[in-house]
């Protein structure tokens, strides 16, 4: 793997999991020393992160972008359009086996969600696998590229939103309904179930995102 790819993946992971929070200044010299690479790979990594919308150039250097309430709402508007369509296509085109396997795992969600951080990580891994299965089943490379872009930013919002046990259980049931609709080859129900899930997830994200971080203004 190229040094620039390693630097990009490390910095992206740190931004998405909150290790490097919004407003952080990423200077080439400092990051090259920390990551053990030269400045050129760091510069290339920062360009990629800027293309992702995770950092922005400012008067002081490169800064990790904030996530405003307007950003959260706009992202969910796009997610609804993309993910509802993907679920409908998956209902028409999917092979059953991957979704039956995910369904079995989702049935275990209540137990996982009662086990703290380790169970929560396993539950989110199931959700990520469901997203990947829907993308693959939809079999549309342009839609897939758009889905991967919004999922990148969705990971930041997932971290911003405080984990509400009741909401997580509801979300698991909503994911199960989406899977059942796909297995039933019901495109309309799959799209509607996705719409309901995202509507409720948006309400939770707006209600639980920390005010100071969610409403932070852009760093000039």
């Amino acid at each position: 793997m190229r040094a620039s790819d390693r630097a990009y993946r490390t910095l992206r992971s740190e931004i998405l999991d909150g290790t490097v929070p919004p407003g952080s200044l990423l200077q080439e010299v400092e990051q090259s020393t920390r990551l053990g690479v030269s400045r050129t790979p760091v510069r290339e990594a920062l360009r990629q992160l800027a293309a992702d919308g995770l950092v922005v150039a400012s008067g002081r250097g490169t800064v990790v972008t904030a996530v405003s309430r307007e950003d959260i709402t706009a992202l969910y508007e796009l997610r609804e359009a993309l993910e509802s369509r993907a679920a409908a296509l998956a209902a028409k085109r999917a092979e059953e086996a991957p979704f039956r396997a995910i369904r079995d795992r989702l049935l275990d969600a209540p137990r996982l969600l009662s086990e703290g951080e380790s169970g929560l990580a396993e539950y989110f891994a199931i959700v990520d696998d469901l997203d990947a299965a829907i993308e693959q089943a939809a079999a549309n490379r342009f839609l897939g590229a758009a889905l991967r872009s919004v999922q990148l930013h969705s990971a930041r919002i997932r971290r911003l939103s405080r984990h509400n046990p009741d909401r997580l259980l509801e979300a698991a049931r909503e994911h199960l309904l989406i899977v059942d609709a796909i297995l039933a080859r019901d495109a309309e129900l799959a799209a509607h179930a996705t719409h309901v899930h995202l509507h409720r997830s948006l309400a939770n994200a707006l209600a639980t995102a920390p005010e100071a971080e969610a409403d932070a203004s852009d760093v000039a």
Side-chain angles (χ1 to χ4, degrees):
M1 184 185 299
R2 297 187 309 159
S4 60
D5 292 334
R6 290 199 307 272
Y8 167 69
R9 291 189 180 187
T10 298
L11 288 169
R12 182 183 67 176
S13 177
E14 291 174 343
I15 291 170
L16 294 180
D17 69 17
T19 303
V20 179
S24 297
L25 181 64
L26 301 178
Q27 295 179 319
E28 287 182 15
V29 174
E30 177 185 344
Q31 296 304 318
S32 65
T33 300
R34 185 175 72 87
L35 298 173
V37 298
S38 67
R39 291 180 63 180
T40 298
V42 171
R43 190 177 303 120
E44 292 178 3
L46 293 176
R47 288 197 192 102
Q48 286 182 276
L49 292 169
D52 291 337
L54 297 176
V55 302
V56 65
S58 76
R60 296 185 295 133
T62 301
V63 178
V64 178
T65 55
V67 181
S68 69
R69 292 186 178 279
E70 290 77 11
D71 291 335
I72 293 173
T73 299
L75 179 65
Y76 271 86
E77 288 173 349
L78 181 57
R79 285 187 65 185
E80 182 181 336
L82 296 175
E83 295 183 26
S84 295
R85 182 56 179 161
L89 290 174
K92 297 176 180 179
R93 302 171 178 173
E95 296 181 3
E96 287 191 6
F99 289 94
R100 290 204 176 279
I102 290 172
R103 188 183 194 283
D104 289 342
R105 293 165 66 195
L106 280 172
L107 291 173
D108 199 33
R111 180 187 65 80
L112 293 174
L113 293 173
S114 70
E115 293 184 347
E117 289 299 319
S118 61
L120 189 62
E122 190 172 344
Y123 168 70
F124 282 134
I126 299 171
V127 175
D128 290 341
D129 288 346
L130 175 57
D131 288 340
I134 290 173
E135 179 189 329
Q136 182 174 1
N140 183 314
R141 65 187 180 94
F142 300 107
L143 179 57
L147 286 168
R148 288 190 294 276
S149 176
V150 299
Q151 286 161 1
L152 181 69
H153 294 278
S154 296
R156 292 188 82 190
I157 294 173
R158 178 188 293 174
R159 182 190 60 79
L160 284 172
S161 301
R162 292 192 299 274
H163 296 313
N164 179 331
D166 291 337
R167 172 58 203 149
L168 288 172
L169 286 171
E170 288 179 354
R173 289 192 288 268
E174 291 158 11
H175 285 123
L176 191 59
L177 180 57
I178 294 169
V179 171
D180 283 343
I182 290 171
L183 288 171
R185 304 293 183 187
D186 191 328
E188 184 177 352
L189 179 58
H192 180 67
T194 301
H195 166 79
V196 170
H197 168 65
L198 291 174
H199 174 76
R200 292 176 176 172
S201 294
L202 171 59
N204 181 69
L206 291 174
T208 63
E211 293 285 345
E213 190 168 8
D215 290 331
S217 59
D218 291 341
V219 178

